[in-house]
Amino acid sequence: MIYILTGGPATGKGTRSDILANALNIPHISTGDILRDASKTNKEIAEKLSKGELISDEIITDLLKERIIKEDCKKGFVLDGYPRTLAQIHLLNELLDSLGRKITRVIELTAPDELVYRRILERRKCAKCGRVYGIDFPPKVKDICDDCGQKLETRIDDTKKTLKARIETYKKNAGPILDYYKKAGLLKTVDSSGHPERIVEEVNED
Ligand code: AMP
């Protein structure tokens, strides 16, 4: 069971990947999260993230490989944020072939630009437990995590300026990726303006 969730920034990939992964009892792997983590010790990655630029295909694919060969990915995983370039499609195919695994479905999430901006500017994350809050799931107390009482933080790349670059980067690269998966009969497009919980049924609808 390998689901790939793709879509521009703040189209709800993270929230829906979490919901789907929990429902299927498999891990949610976000390459954005992996890179934000790596950026704490790697200046080059931190700089690219803050500019909304893509990290090199080789670096991100190596980090992804390290993650998906772990025991908890045996039954499957929900992949969010990868592949983002044509080269990554082929690197992923090679990686999955070498592990004898296949993609179950690729879900493209879409959302109107106005909703994307609102989601980004209101998104907060708990630095301690990683829980993400936003317009669909606000915290009970403003800027405080419901679970551990920590102050919530804004992601380093969630600024108006970075968002514009991230949307442009996505639009520049998305077409050929979506075409590829459409031709492979794996693509399903889902409008993410609706309730996030619906993703569990949507992934299996025609
Ligand atoms: P995301 O959390 O998926 O919106 O990703 C945040 C940022 O991480 C992106 O704007 C890129 O700078 C970087 N990133 C995430 N996934 C990839 C990837 N597959 N390839 C290259 N860069 C990535």
Side-chain angles (χ1 to χ4, degrees), residues 5 7-10 13-14 30-36 45 47-57 59-61 64 79-85 88 120 123 155 157-158 162 165-167 169:
L5 266 68
K13 298 188 298 282
S30 151
T31 50
D33 280 350
I34 291 177
L35 288 166
R36 275 182 289 278
I45 292 181
E47 215 177 292
K48 290 218 164 195
L49 285 188
S50 67
K51 289 188 193 152
E53 289 173 8
L54 291 184
I55 306 306
S56 85
D57 295 329
I59 291 177
I60 184 58
T61 307
L64 179 66
L79 183 56
D80 143 25
Y82 186 108
R84 263 177 155 98
T85 63
Q88 288 182 15
I120 285 276
R123 180 157 61 187
R155 271 171 40 170
D157 51 347
D158 274 353
T162 306
R166 286 163 63 200
I167 291 176
T169 305

Side-chain angles (χ1 to χ4, degrees), residues 4-17 19 80-81 84 107-121 123 135-136 155 158 163 166-167 170-171 174 178 189-196 199 202:
I4 295 180
L5 266 68
T6 182
T11 47
K13 298 188 298 282
T15 306
R16 281 161 182 78
S17 297
I19 293 170
D80 143 25
R84 263 177 155 98
I107 312 295
E108 179 207 11
L109 295 170
T110 59
D113 279 357
E114 177 269 331
L115 181 60
V116 165
Y117 274 87
R118 271 182 52 220
R119 276 186 179 150
I120 285 276
L121 299 174
R123 180 157 61 187
I135 51 175
D136 293 325
R155 271 171 40 170
D158 274 353
L163 179 59
R166 286 163 63 200
I167 291 176
Y170 177 75
K171 287 186 178 160
L178 298 174
T189 300
V190 168
D191 177 349
S192 76
S193 312
H195 201 280
I199 194 68
E202 285 165 339

Side-chain angles (χ1 to χ4, degrees), residues 2-201:
I2 298 177
Y3 288 99
I4 295 180
L5 266 68
T6 182
T11 47
K13 298 188 298 282
T15 306
R16 281 161 182 78
S17 297
D18 264 346
I19 293 170
L20 184 60
N22 280 336
L24 300 173
N25 200 21
I26 54 179
H28 163 202
I29 300 174
S30 151
T31 50
D33 280 350
I34 291 177
L35 288 166
R36 275 182 289 278
D37 217 37
S39 74
K40 290 175 193 155
T41 51
N42 184 318
K43 259 191 170 173
E44 204 185 315
I45 292 181
E47 215 177 292
K48 290 218 164 195
L49 285 188
S50 67
K51 289 188 193 152
E53 289 173 8
L54 291 184
I55 306 306
S56 85
D57 295 329
E58 288 70 25
I59 291 177
I60 184 58
T61 307
D62 283 350
L63 290 168
L64 179 66
K65 182 175 180 188
E66 262 176 42
R67 179 65 190 89
I68 68 175
I69 56 174
K70 290 199 173 146
E71 188 65 26
D72 64 339
C73 292
K74 276 240 160 85
K75 190 175 140 199
F77 52 88
V78 177
L79 183 56
D80 143 25
Y82 186 108
R84 263 177 155 98
T85 63
L86 271 181
Q88 288 182 15
I89 289 186
H90 299 298
L91 288 165
L92 181 64
N93 286 346
E94 274 171 31
L95 179 54
L96 293 179
D97 279 351
S98 73
L99 300 170
R101 323 261 327 239
K102 274 196 181 347
I103 296 168
T104 311
R105 210 153 199 201
V106 177
I107 312 295
E108 179 207 11
L109 295 170
T110 59
D113 279 357
E114 177 269 331
L115 181 60
V116 165
Y117 274 87
R118 271 182 52 220
R119 276 186 179 150
I120 285 276
L121 299 174
E122 289 180 36
R123 180 157 61 187
R124 300 284 182 276
K125 185 172 181 175
C126 176
K128 193 171 174 202
C129 70
R131 184 164 166 187
V132 176
Y133 297 87
I135 51 175
D136 293 325
F137 299 104
K140 291 189 184 113
V141 179
K142 190 173 187 290
D143 289 339
I144 300 292
C145 180
D146 290 355
D147 293 337
C148 52
Q150 283 280 316
K151 197 164 165 30
L152 301 177
E153 293 180 343
T154 304
R155 271 171 40 170
I156 57 165
D157 51 347
D158 274 353
T159 62
K160 250 190 186 166
K161 198 171 148 213
T162 306
L163 179 59
K164 196 163 175 273
R166 286 163 63 200
I167 291 176
E168 275 161 19
T169 305
Y170 177 75
K171 287 186 178 160
K172 201 172 80 192
N173 291 302
I177 295 175
L178 298 174
D179 284 350
Y180 177 91
Y181 286 124
K182 197 171 180 184
K183 279 193 195 122
L186 289 170
L187 186 71
K188 171 162 176 64
T189 300
V190 168
D191 177 349
S192 76
S193 312
H195 201 280
E197 305 283 345
R198 285 222 57 233
I199 194 68
V200 180
E201 291 99 58

